[in-house]
Amino acid sequence: MRRLRDALTAHGGRPAIAAVLVVATAVFLATVPLHRGFFDVGVYYGTVNDWIHHDGRIYDYLRPGTQYGFTYPPFAAVVMLPMALVSWHVAIAISAVLSAVASALLLRWLAGPAVRRLVARRTDPSPGAAPREDRRPWFVFVVTGCLFALFEPVRDTFSFGQVNLLLVALVFADARLLATGRARYAGIGVGLATAIKLTPALFIGYLLITGRRRQAGVATGTAGAATLLAALIDPGASRTFWTGALWDTDRVGSLSYVSNQSLQGVLARLQPDHPSRLVWLVCVLAVLAVWAYRARAAARDGDDRAGFALTGLAACLVSPVTWVHHLVWLIPALLVLTDSALSRSPGARRRPLAVCAALYVVLCSSVVWLWRWDSTGPDAFLGANAYVWITLGLLLVPPGPEETARPGPGPGPRAGRLSGATTVVVTDGVAATRSAGAWRRRAVDPSGGRGSSG
């Protein structure tokens, strides 16, 4: 163990270790997991080519030899029109490159603050010395990137040729705008993601319940304009989708299939013949109530990253169909939880970090597929729905309390605990709000009251 630690702390050893990690990850991804043969990008490619080159109809196309066709709103087909100009292999390459770019952006936005704060803790031990530059951020990013690539929903997204990571990147671009004081531009990403696939529509709800009416209006207007554009291009396809295809869940597969890790999937596996719509509706309303409470608390604490992460969890639960590869929406919540654990003292962080590691391992394990052929019985209720229980747990159980600065004697700095696992340190009329590793500054009244942001 000591040799490994010495190798990690030695600058010369880290490049070799990073190379080994990257190669091992690549070999694993190429040989071990189930490969999906770019099935979904095949559906997109076939639909667009049939639509453009053979005067076909978007929602009539089925991939040869299957019963699966295009299930997204018409605007998604409009966005994918460039596929009609390239070959099949180029389409696959474009899909992979776009997902890789989206992944890099998400890691920078969501994991970047934690990585930079983690490596900044290495300081010169001599008294009064300024912090020295740490040259390990690249190494921590390599490790994080390998863990990201091994995450089952991520590797399935690449293997299917899905659009999930692009949608998450669009939505969290808006979260980043809100967090960096550029809220006037926020809403476009959420609107485009909603027009491409309906699940992100819940983020418009987040903007509304947190008082961002302007941003909610921008998102709604963007989604509406994109939908109208698609209707102008192909009125028949829009009519077919909004009046029929949208409500036909059989187009996407069986609700009881073990890959459906939503509340509806759980109920469908309990009652494959007649899952109760009333019970599902009650469960959805309960989840939305918990989400609204926690999301508003996060927004009040200035933590939109956590609020957006909670919204992703709720969207996965309430959607009638949430395939395993859709669970890339869990990544922000896992990163926020991990960052919250890392912000504690070495002794206090061990247990929460162990929980984060356990959740990650389960979500990488493909455990739900053990019940692929038989999802009945008490063991299946737990195992076949494992990812649903994890999603519920992340939504229901907030991070434990973080450490707060201890106020010194006299009228010096004071620290208070806010809801949502956020720490506020007030000094000289300025509050630095740390929530899951993201630091923001805002002006406050010296008496302790909040002032306008600036």
Side-chain angles (χ1 to χ4, degrees):
M1 193 69 181
R2 184 176 179 180
R3 290 181 179 178
L4 177 61
R5 184 167 59 251
D6 292 342
L8 287 173
T9 55
H11 287 288
R14 288 196 288 270
I17 294 173
V20 169
L21 287 174
V22 171
V23 171
T25 300
V27 170
F28 176 86
L29 294 176
T31 59
V32 176
L34 292 173
H35 292 281
R36 313 299 185 178
F38 303 103
F39 184 91
D40 286 355
V41 76
V43 173
Y44 310 152
Y45 184 79
T47 298
V48 170
N49 275 277
D50 186 60
W51 181 30
I52 299 301
H53 298 304
H54 304 290
D55 200 24
R57 293 188 292 183
I58 293 175
Y59 298 102
D60 286 349
Y61 174 84
L62 297 178
R63 182 164 178 175
T66 75
Q67 60 180 0
Y68 296 104
F70 199 76
T71 59
Y72 299 165
F75 180 69
V78 173
V79 171
M80 296 173 185
L81 276 175
M83 284 187 175
L85 305 176
V86 299
S87 68
W88 162 241
H89 291 96
V90 172
I92 292 175
I94 292 173
S95 171
V97 168
L98 290 176
S99 289
V101 171
S103 300
L105 290 174
L106 287 171
L107 285 173
R108 180 183 176 186
W109 296 340
L110 297 174
V115 170
R116 288 188 288 272
R117 182 162 51 83
L118 187 63
V119 300
R121 287 178 175 173
R122 291 175 56 85
T123 58
D124 192 320
S126 57
R132 66 188 179 190
E133 182 183 1
D134 191 298
R135 301 182 184 277
R136 288 194 303 158
W138 68 267
F139 179 76
V140 181
F141 272 115
V142 168
V143 175
T144 305
C146 290
L147 293 173
F148 183 88
L150 292 172
F151 192 58
E152 182 180 357
V154 170
R155 64 185 193 238
D156 269 4
T157 289
F158 275 89
S159 188
F160 274 113
Q162 261 280 347
V163 298
N164 304 314
L165 288 166
L166 296 173
L167 299 181
V168 179
L170 280 173
V171 167
F172 275 85
D174 279 350
R176 183 171 173 82
L177 290 174
L178 290 172
T180 54
R182 292 174 289 177
R184 72 183 69 177
Y185 305 110
I188 296 175
V190 169
L192 288 174
T194 300
I196 293 171
K197 195 171 183 177
L198 297 179
T199 302
L202 189 59
F203 288 91
I204 299 178
Y206 173 78
L207 294 173
L208 282 173
I209 66 171
T210 56
R212 278 65 171 264
R213 293 184 179 86
R214 182 181 184 280
Q215 289 75 22
V218 170
T220 303
T222 301
T227 301
L228 179 60
L229 173 63
L232 292 175
I233 292 174
D234 192 334
S238 294
R239 184 165 48 250
T240 298
F241 178 79
W242 296 107
T243 62
L246 172 62
W247 316 102
D248 184 7
T249 56
D250 291 337
R251 289 180 56 86
V252 298
S254 172
L255 292 176
S256 62
Y257 187 45
V258 74
S259 183
N260 185 12
Q261 293 292 303
S262 68
L263 294 173
Q264 180 75 289
V266 174
L267 296 175
R269 284 185 284 276
L270 289 174
Q271 297 177 305
D273 296 329
H274 302 287
S276 173
R277 291 183 178 273
L278 178 60
V279 173
W280 175 70
L281 181 60
V282 170
C283 291
V284 165
L285 292 176
V287 165
L288 290 177
V290 173
W291 159 74
Y293 175 80
R294 291 206 59 205
R296 291 187 65 179
R300 283 196 301 270
D301 294 344
D303 192 0
D304 277 307
R305 188 173 63 157
F308 272 68
L310 290 166
T311 306
L313 297 173
C316 288
L317 291 168
V318 303
S319 174
V321 177
T322 299
W323 301 134
V324 168
H325 54 79
H326 294 162
L327 296 178
V328 291
W329 291 104
L330 271 62
I331 292 172
L334 289 172
L335 287 173
V336 167
L337 188 64
T338 302
D339 197 0
S340 177
L342 288 171
S343 68
R344 308 179 187 195
S345 66
R349 73 175 66 142
R350 292 173 185 170
R351 181 174 296 178
L353 281 178
V355 171
C356 294
L359 294 178
Y360 172 81
V361 169
V362 173
L363 288 166
C364 290
S365 67
S366 301
V367 63
V368 298
W369 297 102
L370 295 175
W371 289 270
R372 180 177 184 178
W373 307 114
D374 183 8
S375 56
T376 60
D379 60 326
F381 181 71
L382 295 175
N385 304 311
Y387 299 169
V388 181
W389 308 139
I390 290 175
T391 308
L392 268 174
L394 290 170
L395 180 68
L396 296 173
V397 182
E402 298 178 2
E403 289 186 330
T404 58
R406 294 181 180 274
R414 62 188 182 277
R417 174 82 168 88
L418 295 180
S419 62
T422 302
T423 303
V424 175
V425 181
V426 182
T427 309
D428 298 330
V430 174
T433 303
R434 175 170 58 81
S435 181
W439 286 85
R440 302 173 61 224
R441 295 171 63 86
R442 65 177 182 273
V444 297
D445 189 316
S447 64
R450 292 189 181 186
S452 62
S453 59

